Amino acid sequence: MFEFRVEARCPVTGARAGVLETPHGSIETPVFMPVGTQATVKAMTPDELSGMGARIILSNTYHLFLRPGSKLIREAGGLHRFMDWDGAILTDSGGFQVFSLSDLRKVTDEGVTFRSHLDGSSHFMTPERAMEIQEDLGSDIAMCFDECVPYPATESASLEAVMRTTRWAQRCRAVHRKADQALFGIVQGSVFEGQRRRSAEALMEIGFDGYAIGGLSVGEPHSEMYRILDVLNPILPKDRPRYLMGVGLPSNLLEGVSRGVDMFDCVLPTRTGRNGTVFFSGGRLNLKNAAFARDFSPIDPECDCMVCRRFTRAYIRHLYKAGEILAARLCSWHNLHFLIHLMKKAREAIVKGRFPEFRQAFLQRFKDGGPAS
C-alpha cells in the first residue's frame, strides 16, 4: 500500500522527481504539504485544497491528542472521515510540540511528562503512545517520536537527543502494527555533521519507509541548513522518500529539492497570509501597506490561482483595513497555491532536464531576505 519510486534525476544537482503511492492516492514529488494542525488547514476547505492541487496534508498528533482526542477521531471513522479529506495525510508525532509548547516538562528515556498548553493538565507521552495515537488517527504516514533540541544547542545536548531519538525510533518500529500506514524515522543532530551521520545511519539500520530531517528551520542561518542537507544527501537511501520538516520559504524549498529532498511542510503560507504577507515571483509583499491602496493589479501577474485571476491588491488591502475575514482566506489560498505549484514546476523542470536553469532563474527573482521559516 506504500511505495516510492524515482522517475527522473537531475545530473547536476541532487534533485529528483518521484511518485509516492499511498492508500489515499498517488503523490508526485517534490511536494509541499499544507499543514492542517488541528484537522483543518486554516481558512481552507478540503475542496479548495484539492482544487489547487494538494494531494497530501499534515496534521499533528500532539494537538489532536489533547483536543478532541484520538479515540473520538477513531470513533468517527478516522481522521480522513472526520475532516472529510480523501487525499493522503501525514501525522507528525508531536515531539516538536512537546518540547516547544510545554514550559514544564520532564524528559527521561521512558518518555516525556508535559503539561498541556490548553489547560495545564499533565500528560505522559512515550514512543508507544505516539504510535497508538497515530494508528487511531489512521494517517497514511506516521512519524517516530523524537527529541528536537533548540538552536543553538551544545554538542553534548544534541548528542544526548540523537541517542534518545534513536532508542525511541527502535521502540516505535517495534510496536507499529498498522499495515496500511507507513512509518518515517527522524534524523536529528542539530548542525553537527558527525551527529547527523550517526543519526541517519542508526535509523537506516533500524529500517523505515521514509526518512525525515528534523531540527532544522529552528533559527539557524540558511547556510547551516543547506550544509546539513549536503551532508545527508549522499547518506540517506535513494529508494526512500526524504522529508524536510517545517520548511516553507520558497527559496528554502528549491534549495532543499536541489539537495535531494522530496517532501516539505510548513505553517508559513497560512500564518503569514493571515497577517497580509504574500509570496509572488519577485519575493514577498505585505498587502496591508498603504502603497497598495490603489494598486489594481493581482498579487502576482504570473500566478493563475483563483485569487490572482479575480481580485486585486487594492481590494485585499481594503478587506484587511475593514477587518473582513475574507482577506485572510484569499492570502492563505494564494500562498498555498504558490508553494504547491512551485513544487510542480520544479518537478516538471527535473523531468525535462532543466532544473538548474529553473532554480537559478527563480532564485534570482525571489529576494527572500528573511530567516529560515
Side-chain angles (χ1 to χ4, degrees), residues 3-8 17-21 26 29 238-239 347:
E3 178 188 354
F4 178 69
R5 61 183 181 274
V6 176
E7 297 188 330
V19 176
L20 186 62
E21 302 286 356
S26 300
T29 64
K238 292 179 171 53
D239 62 345
R347 187 183 197 280

Side-chain angles (χ1 to χ4, degrees), residues 34 36 39-57 59 79-89 329 333 336 340:
T40 177
V41 177
K42 283 182 169 53
M44 306 300 299
T45 69
D47 288 347
E48 290 165 349
L49 292 168
S50 179
M52 68 177 66
R55 296 293 176 263
I56 179 171
I57 64 175
S59 285
L79 192 53
H80 292 86
R81 183 169 297 177
F82 187 59
M83 65 186 297
D84 192 27
W85 172 252
D86 60 5
I89 298 176
R329 276 185 35 77
W333 188 315
L336 288 168
I340 289 168

Side-chain angles (χ1 to χ4, degrees), residues 302-320:
E302 299 178 16
C303 178
D304 65 352
C305 78
M306 181 278 295
V307 181
C308 289
R309 284 187 282 107
R310 298 179 61 181
F311 303 105
T312 67
R313 297 173 178 181
Y315 176 67
I316 296 172
R317 179 180 184 273
H318 156 71
L319 294 177
Y320 275 111

Side-chain angles (χ1 to χ4, degrees), residues 49 65 73 84 137 141 160 167 200 232 250 272 312 323-324 352:
L49 292 168
F65 162 68
I73 292 176
D84 192 27
L137 296 176
I141 302 173
E160 183 178 2
R167 292 191 292 269
L232 293 174
T272 60
T312 67
E324 292 289 342
K352 292 184 176 180

Side-chain angles (χ1 to χ4, degrees), residues 12 29 33 48 84-85 102 107 139 172 174 184 223 240 268 309 314 325 348 367:
V12 179
T29 64
M33 302 180 288
E48 290 165 349
D84 192 27
W85 172 252
S102 179
V107 184
S139 56
C172 288
F184 283 23
S223 58
R240 295 286 189 274
L268 188 68
R309 284 187 282 107
I325 60 175
E348 180 181 355
K367 303 175 180 64

